[in-house]
Amino acid sequence: MWVVATAGHVDHGKSTLVRALTGMVPDRWAEERRRGMTIDLGFAWTTLPSGGTLAFVDVPGHERFVPNMLAGIGPVPAALIVVAADEGWMPQSAEHLAALHALGVSYGLLAVTRADLADPGPAAARARTEIAATSLGEVEAVPVSGVTGAGLPELRAALDRLGARLPDPARDAPVRLWVDRAFTVRGSGTVVTGTLGGGRLRVGDELELAATGEAVRVRGLHSLGTARTEVEAVARVAVNLRGLSRDRVGRGDALLTPGRFGRTDLLDVRLSGDPAADLPATLTLHVGSAAVPAQVRPLGPDTVRLRLARPLPLLIGDRALLRDPGRHHVAGGVTVLDVDPPPLRRRGAAAARTAVLAGLDGRPDLAGELRRRRLVRAGDLTRMGVPPTATPVAGQWLADPEHWRDLGRRLTEEVARYAAEHPLAAGVPVDVLRHRLDLPERALVTALLRPPLRLRDGLVTAAPQGTLPDPVARAVDRVRAEYGDRPFQAPEAHHLADLGLGPREIGAAVRAGALLKLAENVVLLPGAPDDAVRVLAGLPQPFTLSAARQALGTTRRVAVPLLELLDRRGATRRLPDDAREVVRPPG
């Protein structure tokens, strides 16, 4: 299926032409038929000579209904521009063309209607000149009369040629169906319609409602009046939603593939049209079927920041337009450059941001996004419209390679700095490093660790440890001097305190290998275990705790944890009767 929107001045015969081509009346409201003027969007379809199906979105031409017109052309890839031969180029012809140009529509066809009332040549020449200066470029022109039928076969053939030129849709893309109508069908519930520009819909699919993020399920699908189990882009589609009341959805909302779109009310864009400095403070942003007031902050000659009145599901590269409704003026088209821009709080931030935006073109760029954001979740990139093809550094986190290397260097420096600031600490708590490096998650700290850094019990240390602070080193020397000739005697707690060895100092000495901690307040010199095995190997095997204590010349306070340490090391083995034997002599 191909989908084409009409465009053109009021009363130039758009709806008449659609009716002549399709045999269907696109005007849906009694008021439209009474006044003979399209007010809202109309829909009709026909089969072309090639056998292809063409669906029309018929838009109103009156200046008062431009927002309705923009809701119709927003999601549509091509336009049928209608100009009357007897009136020629008119104000709404120009505004509709400006809107198509702003949205970047590049496929179109010119129909010169009422060719039975006037020579179509002058109107066609003027219209083609106007159109050629826009994104549509050179277009084919077909004179036609919706009343007499003259030129209709030629127009059908031209529409066939237009359809054949349209690019293939991205059928595997995520769904973003902009809602242009919402209504209730008795017995079925809420139904929304829109132009499916990409992806596919199936009965039973779960989608997200853009306005609220709530999950909705597809109960049924219709396309061109026929029930379907699946609809592929491009297509006009009606979606019956299960369990959603009519007052929860309306024009300007969207149905989304879950997890593939973010919602943003702040975005940076490039403007094609009026100079950024000349824009009023408030304009209306038209994108898809949505029309949302936007506060405008110029940044550069052609870049602005927009603050939207409500969030929209936008991606990098999206096309939209800014319109001044008070002046009935299209200020220009915009290309979305960033849907998650940084705040501009510091002096000079706006100028720096302008320089960054100057290098962006609206095309998704993974390397550039990583360079600018440094660290970003893969899911966040997906919801910006940037495929996250890089390998995560931790969990879902992606990192700019240069920034990641710099973080590794800074981590080593911070560990050394913390050790100097806290010489008796067992290591740096992970959360301290996370804050010092300004990282969003603890997992990123652990992912940065490389030898000689290591993580133990939530602390990051450098192995081997550095030298002891002088006061601790002197206290250890005093222990060595007092107990060097009686290695199995452990100083009492009060004596350790007198020596200047409190719990933190003992911990530092143990980590440095200068002391051996057997139990709370039980410390020996580090060579004591090997010396003990030599002594115990000289006893008749097996031996008891009492025999070991006497041979070592120590107390039960020391002998029990010392023997348990030797058991763990495999130097001794405990037997069922609580006796022990030496299994592996030292050396």
Side-chain angles (χ1 to χ4, degrees):
M1 183 192 306
W2 302 313
V3 181
V4 172
T6 62
H9 195 76
V10 62
D11 201 32
H12 275 204
K14 295 185 296 297
S15 299
T16 300
L17 187 58
V18 170
R19 183 167 61 247
L21 288 167
T22 67
M24 304 171 68
V25 179
D27 290 336
R28 297 178 290 113
W29 309 116
E31 177 69 7
E32 292 177 305
R33 293 190 288 272
R34 185 184 68 79
R35 297 170 62 178
M37 182 177 69
T38 299
I39 297 172
D40 205 351
L41 302 178
F43 309 96
W45 58 90
T46 188
T47 301
L48 295 175
S50 66
T53 300
L54 177 66
F56 288 100
V57 178
D58 188 36
V59 306
H62 197 283
E63 66 178 5
R64 288 189 301 168
F65 306 119
V66 168
N68 290 348
M69 174 265 182
L70 293 173
I73 69 170
V76 173
L80 174 62
I81 302 170
V82 177
V83 176
D86 57 338
E87 290 191 356
W89 196 252
M90 297 290 282
Q92 287 313 115
S93 307
E95 186 170 9
H96 283 203
L97 180 62
L100 293 170
H101 176 62
L103 291 170
V105 177
S106 54
Y107 296 91
L109 179 65
L110 172 64
V112 183
T113 58
R114 304 215 287 258
D116 55 319
L117 301 180
D119 177 8
R126 168 72 187 280
R128 292 189 71 188
T129 299
E130 297 285 348
I131 296 169
T134 71
S135 59
L136 285 99
E138 296 289 340
V139 298
E140 186 176 356
V142 181
V144 65
S145 170
V147 176
T148 68
L152 286 178
E154 291 79 5
L155 181 57
R156 286 178 174 276
L159 287 166
D160 240 341
R161 290 190 290 274
L162 173 63
R165 291 193 296 116
L166 294 179
D168 292 332
R171 293 186 174 90
D172 294 327
V175 169
R176 179 174 52 178
L177 181 72
W178 292 102
V179 174
D180 51 41
R181 281 194 301 161
F183 51 91
T184 301
V185 174
R186 182 175 297 177
S188 296
T190 300
V191 175
V192 301
T193 68
T195 299
L196 182 65
R200 66 189 74 209
L201 287 169
R202 300 180 182 87
V203 172
D205 279 355
E206 184 177 283
L207 303 170
E208 289 178 356
L209 196 61
T212 62
E214 65 186 292
V216 294
R217 193 167 294 279
V218 177
R219 181 179 182 180
L221 291 170
H222 277 71
S223 185
L224 307 186
T226 302
R228 309 289 178 89
T229 58
E230 179 177 325
V231 178
E232 290 185 341
V234 171
R236 284 296 303 172
V237 62
V239 186
N240 181 201
L241 298 173
R242 188 186 306 276
L244 183 70
S245 61
R246 165 65 187 84
D247 59 359
R248 305 273 292 280
V249 62
R251 177 174 292 174
D253 209 334
L255 298 178
L256 311 172
T257 297
R260 297 299 297 272
F261 295 87
R263 298 163 184 81
T264 181
D265 61 359
L266 187 70
L267 56 151
D268 289 344
V269 304
R270 173 157 286 113
L271 175 68
S272 175
D274 296 350
D278 295 344
L279 296 178
T282 303
L283 292 170
T284 298
L285 180 76
H286 293 266
V287 58
S289 62
V292 179
Q295 296 177 7
V296 180
R297 177 177 180 175
L299 293 176
D302 64 346
T303 52
V304 298
R305 173 160 293 187
L306 301 178
R307 172 75 69 177
L308 306 182
R310 64 179 174 88
L312 291 175
L314 300 178
L315 301 175
I316 292 172
D318 278 344
R319 293 296 298 265
L321 70 83
L322 287 171
R323 182 172 183 267
D324 186 342
R327 293 190 295 147
H328 303 289
H329 170 67
V330 174
V334 299
T335 300
V336 177
L337 302 178
D338 195 340
V339 295
D340 185 24
L344 303 176
R345 299 193 185 102
R346 295 191 296 270
R347 182 185 297 274
R353 182 61 178 167
T354 300
V356 170
L357 294 178
L360 304 184
D361 58 9
R363 285 180 290 189
D365 173 20
L366 176 61
E369 292 298 330
L370 292 179
R371 187 169 57 252
R372 288 184 291 274
R373 299 180 189 279
R374 297 188 172 188
L375 285 168
V376 61
R377 291 184 180 90
D380 291 339
L381 285 175
T382 296
R383 288 184 286 273
M384 295 177 199
V386 181
T389 54
T391 301
V393 295
Q396 281 235 333
W397 288 99
L398 302 176
D400 171 59
E402 184 176 346
H403 179 59
W404 190 248
R405 288 190 292 271
D406 183 61
L407 284 172
R409 177 187 58 76
R410 289 174 54 202
L411 178 69
T412 301
E413 293 174 353
E414 291 298 339
V415 171
R417 182 176 295 113
Y418 189 91
E421 295 168 352
H422 306 84
L424 301 180
V428 194
V430 170
D431 272 332
V432 170
L433 290 170
R434 182 176 71 83
H435 286 294
R436 289 193 175 190
L437 297 178
D438 194 24
L439 295 174
E441 284 188 8
R442 292 165 56 95
L444 291 165
V445 176
T446 57
L448 283 166
L449 295 179
R450 300 289 184 273
L453 300 182
R454 62 183 180 183
L455 178 66
R456 183 175 181 180
D457 298 328
L459 301 174
V460 176
T461 61
Q465 295 271 275
T467 58
L468 287 171
D470 288 343
V472 180
R474 287 195 296 270
V476 171
D477 287 342
R478 291 177 63 185
V479 171
R480 189 176 293 112
E482 279 191 48
Y483 294 91
D485 58 350
R486 40 193 183 123
F488 310 116
Q489 292 288 321
E492 296 290 340
H494 65 85
H495 188 41
L496 288 171
D498 291 341
L499 293 171
L501 292 172
R504 296 179 65 219
E505 289 79 8
I506 291 173
V510 169
R511 289 189 297 275
L515 290 177
L516 173 68
K517 186 175 182 178
L518 292 179
E520 194 66 30
N521 293 324
V522 180
V523 295
L524 299 177
L525 294 171
D530 286 346
D531 292 340
V533 173
R534 293 188 186 93
V535 172
L536 297 175
L539 293 177
Q541 306 293 313
F543 55 86
T544 64
L545 171 62
S546 178
R549 182 180 57 77
Q550 293 178 19
L552 296 173
T554 189
T555 64
R556 183 181 180 87
R557 180 175 76 96
V558 175
V560 169
L562 179 57
L563 289 174
E564 290 174 347
L565 173 64
L566 297 179
D567 291 343
R568 291 194 299 273
R569 290 186 176 183
T572 58
R573 178 169 56 225
R574 189 172 183 174
L575 303 176
D577 61 355
D578 285 342
R580 283 180 171 82
E581 60 184 359
V582 173
V583 177
R584 190 181 68 243

